[in-house]
Amino acid sequence: LAEKNGELRVYYQPQVETESEDISGMEALIRWEHPELGMISPGFFIPLAEENGLIVPIGEWVLRTACADAKRWQERFGLNLRISVNLSAVQLRQQNLVQVVQQVLAETGLESTQLDLEVTESINVKSIPNLMETLHGIRELGCKISIDDFGTGQSSLDYIKRFPADRIKIDQTFVRNIGVDPDDEAIVRATIGMAHSLNRAVVAEGVEIEEHLDFLRAQGCEELQGYLFCRPLPAASFENLLVEREKVFNRLPSEEALP
Ligand code: C2E
Ligand code: MG
Ligand code: MG
């Protein structure tokens, strides 16, 4: 009903490039705006939608909405921002997932290289038949794959080696303890080192304070996401953010030209 009544929203949270701190992409995060209960977080209703199977149509709706918004922003601002969309294990079990992604790209006109699909590390790999084939199929379309919540699942190193991912997202539980717990700092450092040795890029989630940023920058983490930069925003506010960014970037060269 929430879907039919138009109560679902996609919010967008920027991901920034560590060196420049300029925006490089955004993660699509679903919200349910209930007329009486107010905003319901995905942590609450996604597990229910996974249980009853509704995550399949909901996930497809998020994918279509996010790709359409990304395409519109690409046309308006001329930026090739990457759009990251979360995939549930239930969606990965659908035999037609690759075709669904291909169809959404065709419908929305978004370049496949701009789409990144996030798969959480905590999925039970053995419960998903053909997982590797599906992920390879998605990559053959030209899309990227990220391992979400890295460090919280039970993946073996062998599995990580074989998992066809372009990026690893370090989970917020480790990032939060930078400057607090030297063991978590060691895990972050080791994860970045391992990811780079395996030719994967690294994104840190839950970057909240300057100390996190400084540490992650010193360790060579490529991209950052967190409240320090921006909270997840409704599409209209996210678009305003891109307008503001454009103003800053258009103003700088002319200002520099002044005597
Ligand atoms: P996730 O994919 O790991 O998303 C990151 C979560 O961290 C988001 O929570 C985001 O709002 C939050 N976050 C971002 N920066 C910070 C920060 O600096 N500090 C803190 N404390 N939190 C931060 P959110 O939006 O509540 O989403 C929770 C989870 O729900 C997501 O975790 C994802 O697993 C799931 N989810 C959200 N949207 C979708 C969706 O469209 N499909 C599926 N299958 N799952 C989704
Ligand atoms: Mg995610
Ligand atoms: Mg995560």
Side-chain angles (χ1 to χ4, degrees):
L1 273 178
E3 194 202 356
K4 282 207 189 74
N5 294 345
E7 293 166 10
L8 298 179
R9 309 271 175 270
V10 182
Y11 275 43
Y12 296 94
Q13 185 178 35
Q15 298 179 336
V16 306
E17 212 225 327
T18 310
E19 276 318 302
S20 61
E21 290 183 40
D22 193 8
I23 184 167
S24 53
M26 55 273 174
E27 179 172 7
L29 294 159
I30 195 172
R31 301 284 180 270
W32 178 5
E33 204 177 315
H34 192 279
E36 279 134 44
L37 302 174
M39 210 54 106
I40 305 178
S41 96
F44 180 73
F45 72 88
I46 292 284
L48 298 174
E50 286 181 324
E51 251 171 61
N52 63 23
L54 278 174
I55 189 65
V56 174
I58 291 175
E60 192 175 325
W61 176 82
V62 173
L63 181 68
R64 186 168 282 111
T65 306
C67 288
D69 283 342
K71 176 68 183 174
R72 201 178 67 248
W73 294 327
Q74 195 245 323
E75 281 176 349
R76 174 161 181 200
F77 300 98
L79 297 169
N80 280 330
L81 298 177
R82 188 188 47 232
I83 174 77
S84 297
V85 179
N86 293 285
L87 280 187
S88 151
V90 181
Q91 289 173 279
L92 285 164
R93 248 180 247 134
Q94 304 299 307
Q95 293 297 315
N96 66 345
L97 181 63
V98 179
Q99 286 98 295
V100 168
V101 173
Q102 189 171 28
Q103 194 190 331
V104 168
L105 288 169
E107 268 172 39
T108 57
L110 186 78
E111 282 287 336
S112 60
T113 48
Q114 270 178 268
L115 177 61
D116 168 58
L117 296 166
E118 297 194 359
V119 179
T120 178
E121 200 221 354
S122 60
I123 52 168
N124 182 353
V125 183
K126 295 202 182 77
S127 75
I128 305 175
N130 307 323
L131 174 65
M132 292 298 171
E133 287 83 349
T134 302
L135 295 177
H136 281 294
I138 287 172
R139 277 181 112 201
E140 272 159 26
L141 295 177
C143 305
K144 306 274 187 285
I145 291 182
S146 298
I147 308 183
D148 204 355
D149 313 317
F150 188 82
T152 60
Q154 290 160 20
S155 315
S156 68
L157 293 176
D158 175 59
Y159 168 71
I160 288 157
K161 184 185 78 180
R162 290 186 295 120
F163 198 101
D166 301 275
R167 309 194 303 164
I168 283 177
K169 294 189 80 176
I170 305 181
D171 193 68
Q172 359 185 321
T173 49
F174 304 109
V175 175
R176 189 181 303 142
N177 282 337
I178 290 173
V180 179
D181 186 340
D183 288 349
D184 284 308
E185 289 182 358
I187 290 171
V188 171
R189 214 180 287 121
T191 303
I192 295 172
M194 182 186 70
H196 287 168
S197 309
L198 294 170
N199 274 323
R200 309 315 194 234
V202 188
V203 191
E205 358 181 71
V207 179
E208 291 187 353
I209 55 174
E210 291 285 339
E211 199 174 354
H212 299 163
L213 165 66
D214 295 341
F215 182 90
L216 291 160
R217 181 178 274 149
Q219 298 305 322
C221 177
E222 283 88 355
E223 283 176 285
L224 309 168
Q225 180 180 348
Y227 298 166
L228 176 64
F229 304 100
C230 195
R231 285 183 179 257
L233 299 172
S237 314
F238 186 84
E239 192 159 336
N240 285 337
L241 186 86
L242 294 179
V243 170
E244 291 307 314
R245 178 199 171 277
E246 196 169 54
K247 279 189 204 155
V248 171
F249 276 75
N250 287 342
R251 197 164 57 222
L252 284 177
S254 56
E255 274 177 3
E256 275 164 14
L258 291 172

